[in-house]
Amino acid sequence: MEFSGRKWRKLRLAGDQRNASYPHCLQFYLQPPSENISLIEFENLAIDRVKLLKSVENLGVSYVKGTEQYQSKLESELRKLKFSYRENLEDEYEPRRRDHISHFILRLAYCQSEELRRWFIQQEMDLLRFRFSILPKDKIQDFLKDSQLQFEAISDEEKTLREQEIVASSPSLSGLKLGFESIYKIPFADALDLFRGRKVYLEDGFAYVPLKDIVAIILNEFRAKLSKALALTARSLPAVQSDERLQPLLNHLSHSYTGQDYSTQGNVGKISLDQIDLLSTKSFPPCMRQLHKALRENHHLRHGGRMQYGLFLKGIGLTLEQALQFWKQEFIKGKMDPDKFDKGYSYNIRHSFGKEGKRTDYTPFSCLKIILSNPPSQGDYHGCPFRHSDPELLKQKLQSYKISPGGISQVDDCGFSLNHPNQFFCESQRILNGGKDIKKEPIQPETPQPKPSVQKTKDASSALASLNSSLEMDMEGLEDYFSEDS
Amino acid sequence: METFDPTELPELLKLYYRRLFPYSQYYRWLNYGGVIKNYFQHREFSFTLKDDIYIRYQSFNNQSDLEKEMQKMNPYKIDIGAVYSHRPNQHNTVKLGAFQAQEKELVFDIDMTDYDDVRRCRSSADICPKCWTLMTMAIRIIDRALKEDFGFKHRLWVYSGRRGVHCWVCDESVRKLSSAVRSGIVEYLSLVKGGQDVKKKVHLSEKIHPFIRKSINIIKKYFEEYALVNQDILENKESWDKILALVPETIHDELQQSFQKSHNSLQRWEHLKKVASRYQNNIKNDKYGPWLEWEIMLQYCFPRLDINVSKGINHLLKSPFSVHPKTGRISVPIDLQKVDQFDPFTVPTISFICRELDAISTNEEEKEENEAESDVKHRTRDYKKTSLAPYVKVFEHFLENLDKSRKGELLKKSDLQKDF
């Protein structure tokens, strides 16, 4: 890809040629783009794709992949960001082009570490899986052919010879006959996920795969190819990074994966300990408010809670000295011996501030991390209330915080997507202290942005569904939530 | 056969490695036609010497180098590892991270101790003719799958020397398989799941995969004699209670009663089949097979593989023709055409063949002055006159097939090039 300073030329292709360059609404990204584009477009495309992939990730956490809600929300996200996803729509060229170019730009940003690569590959795979799932059957063959996959459908004769075996092997086939089902013959090693679980018929080194199961194989192929490509990209990265126009963007992009990590804040030392009780009701997200309350009531928190809450406090600006004082004061109220605290707990606090051991300055946990790791058990207060709480309890708790209807649904329309407790705190403080205004828009239940209150979880799907609808009825304006005294 | 005295090993091994070990065939195997440069030279061997001294990353330049080293070190055990990116014996000189295992045969290790929960005759390292049938069934089932399902052509089965068998799959494409695919193959071949705390280890679903169906058909051929007669798995209450633990409680009483009235395992098994299929038909459709019966048969007879042996490309496995230090038996290739007749108790021990060799030598008239020459000459005749001969023949047959395949591949490749 070439970048030509300020001036740029957009390739304008005639109708047919445009369609020929992107014959399908999805692709394997085998060929890098060869146009010239402006820096501005470069940056915008990259940012849009990062937004897309982060939505893919969030939706995958909030909904079971492949369910109707997941599918429709992902589709609307794609539509919103103007990336391709479906055939038979008006002027496909531009969305497909955006999709193509933005993917390759992100390769530059996400090839740099094992973790970044893994994340990037995972989201791209989920995206491809979605697009493939909505591809009409007659388009599948064409797509496979164009993607250089060696999948040949077997003849009817061959099918009949093996009909029984194929039907008996493939869980995706019901009934006793194959009918018009296409069966593909591929080398067994290319069908790893199928044959390892004995979900496909093997004969003489080949797997006989029904069309329905081809998806898994395609995804594997895709993962393998992308993984290799990222490794290659990483090798040529130094040359790219030396281009000063690109360096800041690429760095920013790969950090935006984790979002801001809230580890180094300009507000260190600006919070005093006696403000915390008030702040917890005004600006703490529910998870931290819950932890703070439990700490005050029990004069103790278990390890998971101390980690989650302790790092959050560091993120909002507590110094090490303040933290030590804060925790010690509280624990002593619980009749803990001050010496015991010094021996047992202060080391860990110092450790989390990077003052002990290998001196890692630990970063406050993001929402995703809180939701996905270390689920709370009996006696724990950490975790995410929207994920880990019993729906009834959650409802009660929110009501006790005097949340008003409509308020929570408006959180979303503030213009930021919430994925970090410290982000919640920052935005809340900004609003309270005269920052930007909240947009007042009608409730949009369909928006795919993760809303803390209506975040659906895989395990409590129906219970939370009813909770969500009742939440939307009982809640009031956002400002009330932030400014109420309790 | 005859008693083997482990203290004699050093002397016996010396003789074995000088006069009997089939070096040229062995080299022919691991060199794979010399098609890939340095394939043999980059192969790792490990030796276990006297007093359990273990040395890894041994590698050799050629056949004669291998011979010399083996004769010098006199290893008690020899393991074969992977083909690496560099000569293993120089791995310390290689830049960190650059020394990688690249290729290796796909191997399987089936060990009798993994069946201790279902054999009544012996346990742990012991084997007997009554339980050896488990290995026979394992070889048949696994080999069929490797050949018919996976299309693997070059499979060498070897007696481990004590209580199990190994399989070496040597096809060119197979040697390149990734660890993930190897694991996948083992998973495909696995049906018996669970450790000590799991009573029922086999669960079949409604759809029976052809692999399972074909395996059951193999087991059926052996089941009566192996399980109902030799193992007598329904002999008494203690033994049949174990089987009852594998079927639903609702039919326990009925089965207990009919078991009490029967006289032997065969009769009891007939009862079990009838009751189980009646139970089956009540809850499922007629269309489906007699799962309960099959699940029991599989739990008692189906092969149990150790995934760790198979999945690692760098995993070291006992070499064919090495000696088992505890039993003295040679790890000999098994003739697939005669699997049913294979008897581990007739496999020659090192002391036996060494004695055979001595007997031959004293009977022969020639006594050459030039030792080196006479060694080679003797060796080409020597093993042939011992009980090792038939096993080397099996090995040579295997090598001939490899050669044929290789020639076929080379022809194909040159044809393609000409076609250009």
Side-chain angles (χ1 to χ4, degrees):
Chain A
M1 207 169 192
E2 291 161 30
F3 310 107
S4 48
R6 275 187 232 136
K7 264 200 156 179
W8 52 274
R9 285 173 294 121
K10 193 167 189 174
L11 282 177
R12 296 201 177 280
L13 301 173
D16 277 349
Q17 273 183 298
R18 281 156 64 102
N19 291 335
S21 48
Y22 295 116
H24 306 284
C25 59
L26 76 176
Q27 58 162 299
F28 273 168
Y29 312 103
L30 297 171
Q31 291 298 328
S34 54
E35 309 176 19
N36 297 336
I37 64 171
S38 69
L39 271 181
I40 295 172
E41 189 178 10
F42 184 91
E43 186 170 306
N44 288 336
L45 282 175
I47 290 174
D48 281 348
R49 197 175 190 90
V50 172
K51 279 193 191 153
L52 175 65
L53 294 187
K54 282 171 91 181
S55 298
V56 169
E57 179 185 37
N58 285 330
L59 287 174
V61 168
S62 311
Y63 303 95
V64 175
K65 291 179 207 172
T67 54
E68 222 220 282
Q69 282 161 330
Y70 174 85
Q71 303 277 93
S72 64
K73 282 184 193 283
L74 187 46
E75 181 162 340
S76 68
E77 189 65 16
L78 282 157
R79 201 185 317 131
K80 195 168 86 171
L81 290 166
K82 300 202 179 66
F83 288 115
S84 59
Y85 58 99
R86 201 183 272 282
E87 307 259 326
N88 306 325
L89 295 183
E90 296 280 315
D91 195 7
E92 282 294 310
Y93 176 75
E94 193 51 37
R96 294 180 189 184
R97 174 183 166 272
R98 282 168 56 81
D99 181 60
H100 181 212
I101 299 176
S102 59
H103 169 91
F104 275 90
I105 297 173
L106 287 200
R107 281 196 193 182
L108 297 172
Y110 286 88
C111 66
Q112 300 178 50
S113 77
E114 194 53 54
E115 211 188 321
L116 287 173
R117 286 187 213 182
R118 218 178 303 149
W119 183 86
F120 181 64
I121 292 175
Q122 180 61 52
Q123 312 322 322
E124 288 284 346
M125 273 179 66
D126 285 347
L127 187 56
L128 184 65
R129 185 187 296 116
F130 167 71
R131 285 172 165 159
F132 194 81
S133 72
I134 57 175
L135 200 56
K137 199 163 167 191
D138 52 333
K139 305 281 182 188
I140 293 180
Q141 278 286 55
D142 291 331
F143 171 62
L144 289 180
K145 220 184 322 151
D146 287 346
S147 305
Q148 307 169 359
L149 293 171
Q150 322 287 25
F151 299 163
E152 13 161 324
I154 59 176
S155 67
D156 285 333
E157 270 165 16
E158 302 225 351
K159 263 204 304 187
T160 345
L161 268 173
R162 300 171 175 82
E163 191 167 31
Q164 275 191 354
E165 333 279 83
I166 295 176
V167 170
S169 314
S170 303
S172 61
L173 296 173
S174 53
L176 294 171
K177 295 272 178 187
L178 283 176
F180 294 112
E181 193 80 39
S182 302
I183 304 290
Y184 293 82
K185 177 179 168 181
I186 67 177
F188 81 91
D190 290 344
L192 177 60
D193 283 332
L194 286 177
F195 85 77
R196 72 195 303 180
R198 279 189 304 266
K199 295 196 166 66
V200 70
Y201 175 57
L202 286 190
E203 186 188 298
D204 202 29
F206 287 94
Y208 287 80
V209 188
L211 182 61
K212 292 181 197 166
D213 294 329
I214 280 284
V215 188
I217 295 165
I218 290 173
L219 288 173
N220 264 338
E221 275 284 312
F222 180 69
R223 184 208 279 121
K225 285 202 169 87
L226 185 53
S227 187
K228 255 196 208 146
L230 287 176
L232 276 173
T233 310
R235 262 180 249 162
S236 42
L237 201 56
V240 176
Q241 277 178 326
S242 66
D243 188 329
E244 312 158 327
R245 299 171 296 173
L246 301 181
Q247 196 190 38
L249 170 67
L250 292 181
N251 286 338
H252 167 69
L253 277 179
S254 51
H255 284 131
S256 74
Y257 150 57
T258 48
Q260 208 185 335
D261 57 13
Y262 298 95
S263 56
T264 43
Q265 293 288 305
N267 57 351
V268 172
K270 289 198 183 141
I271 308 252
S272 70
L273 291 184
D274 47 20
Q275 284 179 291
I276 292 187
D277 283 323
L278 189 60
L279 282 172
S280 77
T281 60
K282 279 184 180 290
S283 294
F284 280 14
C287 57
M288 301 304 173
R289 185 166 169 172
Q290 161 178 294
L291 279 163
H292 180 74
K293 186 152 177 267
L295 177 63
R296 286 292 191 224
E297 278 173 11
N298 305 323
H299 311 300
H300 188 270
L301 273 183
R302 285 193 180 167
H303 180 260
R306 294 199 304 274
M307 284 302 289
Q308 185 174 324
Y309 189 38
L311 289 174
F312 171 77
L313 288 175
K314 182 172 80 158
I316 66 172
L318 242 58
T319 64
L320 174 59
E321 290 65 37
Q322 285 176 311
L324 285 167
Q325 195 185 349
F326 173 72
W327 290 98
K328 188 169 182 175
Q329 271 175 355
E330 201 55 50
F331 273 50
I332 288 177
K333 284 189 203 153
K335 310 278 186 345
M336 171 165 294
D337 193 58
D339 285 335
K340 184 174 178 201
F341 179 84
D342 288 332
K343 279 196 196 122
Y345 292 92
S346 65
Y347 177 90
N348 285 326
I349 298 170
R350 294 169 54 77
H351 194 280
S352 64
F353 273 76
K355 303 286 184 236
E356 297 283 358
K358 62 179 176 170
R359 293 173 199 271
T360 316
D361 198 7
Y362 290 98
T363 54
F365 296 165
S366 65
C367 289
L368 214 53
K369 179 158 182 175
I370 291 172
I371 289 171
L372 293 178
S373 47
N374 190 21
S377 27
Q378 196 64 342
D380 285 324
Y381 293 93
H382 63 268
C384 170
F386 297 100
R387 163 72 122 178
H388 296 127
S389 291
D390 178 62
E392 275 310 303
L393 286 179
L394 176 60
K395 189 173 170 182
Q396 281 174 0
K397 197 176 304 188
L398 289 173
Q399 281 174 338
S400 79
Y401 295 166
K402 299 203 188 100
I403 310 293
S404 38
I408 296 306
S409 53
Q410 283 187 334
V411 165
D412 207 40
D413 301 332
C414 285
F416 63 90
S417 76
L418 180 64
N419 42 36
H420 200 294
N422 288 84
Q423 180 190 18
F424 186 106
F425 180 83
C426 285
E427 295 295 337
S428 149
Q429 284 284 289
R430 198 146 37 111
I431 289 168
L432 289 173
N433 299 333
K436 61 180 189 183
D437 293 322
I438 317 159
K439 283 186 280 173
K440 284 211 176 147
E441 274 173 39
I443 298 166
Q444 289 172 358
E446 284 312 298
T447 170
Q449 298 272 12
K451 308 181 201 173
S453 61
V454 296
Q455 215 167 31
K456 298 183 169 77
T457 68
K458 291 179 200 175
D459 12 51
S461 43
S462 54
L464 270 185
S466 58
L467 166 68
N468 291 331
S469 50
S470 56
L471 275 180
E472 276 167 24
M473 288 189 299
D474 297 336
M475 315 301 173
E476 278 173 12
L478 180 62
E479 308 100 278
D480 293 352
Y481 172 70
F482 282 137
S483 61
E484 47 95 19
D485 310 9
S486 78
Chain B
M1 217 173 208
E2 70 307 306
T3 49
F4 159 73
D5 180 4
T7 57
E8 290 178 1
L9 261 181
E11 284 307 307
L12 293 170
L13 286 170
K14 223 158 125 191
L15 190 56
Y16 180 66
Y17 290 134
R18 260 168 65 102
R19 305 279 291 278
L20 292 168
F21 187 91
Y23 293 102
S24 77
Q25 292 88 342
Y26 194 71
Y27 178 78
R28 204 173 133 203
W29 169 34
L30 295 175
N31 192 38
Y32 287 102
V35 173
I36 303 174
K37 194 164 169 235
N38 285 327
Y39 206 70
F40 182 81
Q41 289 73 9
H42 287 190
R43 170 81 68 169
E44 181 192 358
F45 296 84
S46 77
F47 288 165
T48 308
L49 309 178
K50 193 157 180 269
D51 300 325
D52 273 332
I53 298 172
Y54 182 65
I55 35 177
R56 270 194 76 174
Y57 300 114
Q58 302 298 291
S59 58
F60 311 102
N61 291 322
N62 48 39
Q63 180 184 331
S64 115
D65 193 19
L66 172 76
E67 283 181 43
K68 281 202 207 91
E69 286 303 305
M70 276 172 66
Q71 284 159 4
K72 186 170 91 181
M73 308 239 236
N74 224 29
Y76 274 36
K77 273 202 279 184
I78 303 172
D79 289 342
I80 301 177
V83 176
Y84 282 80
S85 52
H86 304 77
R87 282 165 198 257
N89 64 6
Q90 293 173 358
H91 75 283
N92 286 322
T93 66
V94 179
K95 187 172 67 162
L96 202 64
F99 180 68
Q100 298 286 340
Q102 293 181 325
E103 295 191 16
K104 193 175 73 68
E105 296 73 10
L106 172 63
V107 294
F108 297 96
D109 180 353
I110 308 178
D111 189 328
M112 201 71 94
T113 35
D114 292 336
Y115 296 78
D116 281 357
D117 57 313
V118 291
R119 47 174 187 147
R120 302 179 65 214
C121 51
R122 294 272 194 268
S123 66
S124 143
D126 284 335
I127 58 168
C128 76
K130 285 191 183 170
C131 51
W132 184 257
T133 316
L134 284 170
M135 294 294 111
T136 310
M137 291 190 281
I139 295 174
R140 282 212 185 277
I141 289 172
I142 303 290
D143 196 68
R144 185 214 66 77
L146 295 175
K147 176 179 174 193
E148 294 174 8
D149 298 0
F150 289 100
F152 298 156
K153 301 208 165 15
H154 305 285
R155 313 168 309 278
L156 180 71
W157 286 90
V158 182
Y159 172 52
S160 74
R162 187 161 61 162
R163 62 190 191 211
V165 294
H166 300 157
C167 178
W168 296 76
V169 185
C170 304
D171 300 37
E172 188 184 340
S173 56
V174 175
R175 287 180 261 138
K176 298 181 164 73
L177 287 177
S178 68
S179 182
V181 174
R182 289 170 203 246
S183 291
I185 295 172
V186 175
E187 273 183 63
Y188 177 89
L189 299 169
S190 299
L191 263 179
V192 181
K193 312 226 166 106
Q196 281 174 341
D197 42 347
V198 174
K199 285 238 163 70
K200 189 165 171 70
K201 297 183 162 77
V202 180
H203 293 93
L204 298 177
S205 55
E206 288 187 359
K207 273 199 185 181
I208 303 285
H209 191 278
F211 166 75
I212 300 178
R213 187 172 39 81
K214 292 175 188 171
S215 303
I216 291 174
N217 286 341
I218 292 173
I219 292 176
K220 277 189 184 158
K221 297 195 186 122
Y222 297 88
F223 189 73
E224 186 176 303
E225 186 181 330
Y226 165 72
L228 302 176
V229 176
N230 287 341
Q231 291 291 323
D232 215 354
I233 58 177
L234 293 165
E235 180 188 14
N236 51 34
K237 188 158 189 329
E238 189 192 338
S239 63
W240 76 56
D241 274 349
K242 289 200 186 122
I243 307 240
L244 287 182
L246 307 179
V247 301
E249 280 195 36
T250 49
I251 54 175
H252 281 196
D253 286 335
E254 186 178 352
L255 283 173
Q256 289 276 16
Q257 283 180 14
S258 52
F259 285 176
Q260 303 280 9
K261 292 193 207 134
S262 310
H263 301 297
N264 57 39
S265 287
L266 284 139
Q267 289 180 351
R268 292 183 193 115
W269 183 249
E270 289 303 312
H271 279 292
L272 189 144
K273 285 201 284 188
K274 277 202 206 90
V275 175
S277 74
R278 208 190 312 133
Y279 170 83
Q280 212 88 47
N281 290 336
N282 286 341
I283 43 170
K284 297 190 215 257
N285 233 311
D286 263 331
K287 279 190 278 187
Y288 302 108
W291 284 275
L292 287 176
E293 178 192 331
W294 290 350
E295 284 167 345
I296 297 171
M297 286 170 77
L298 289 166
Q299 183 154 338
Y300 274 76
C301 302
F302 188 85
R304 300 163 183 215
L305 301 170
D306 182 352
I307 191 169
N308 293 312
V309 170
S310 308
K311 74 178 180 192
I313 296 180
N314 52 6
H315 189 98
L316 290 145
L317 187 65
K318 186 152 189 274
S319 169
F321 295 106
S322 69
V323 182
H324 196 293
K326 299 217 173 72
T327 63
R329 300 215 191 262
I330 314 286
S331 287
V332 292
I334 297 173
D335 187 351
L336 279 175
Q337 308 300 320
K338 301 182 189 153
V339 170
D340 290 336
Q341 291 82 14
F342 182 82
D343 179 357
F345 298 99
T346 58
V347 169
T349 60
I350 187 175
S351 40
F352 188 78
I353 52 177
C354 285
R355 239 171 288 153
E356 281 182 318
L357 190 64
D358 279 339
I360 297 161
S361 298
T362 48
N363 283 345
E364 273 169 0
E365 278 148 12
E366 310 108 329
K367 294 230 192 282
E368 299 287 342
E369 300 299 333
N370 189 340
E371 277 218 324
E373 211 178 16
S374 88
D375 269 348
V376 172
K377 271 211 200 122
H378 275 151
R379 208 185 305 124
T380 48
R381 294 193 299 253
D382 285 346
Y383 78 78
K384 284 193 184 159
K385 294 196 173 151
T386 66
S387 306
L388 200 57
Y391 300 102
V392 180
K393 205 144 186 244
V394 173
F395 190 50
E396 282 174 340
H397 182 72
F398 165 76
L399 294 174
E400 271 151 30
N401 281 338
L402 268 175
D403 279 342
K404 257 188 249 160
S405 261
R406 227 174 353 250
K407 286 204 187 91
E409 279 303 312
L410 287 172
L411 271 174
K412 251 197 265 170
K413 276 193 195 137
S414 69
D415 276 350
L416 283 172
Q417 284 165 353
K418 283 192 193 126
D419 268 315
F420 180 97

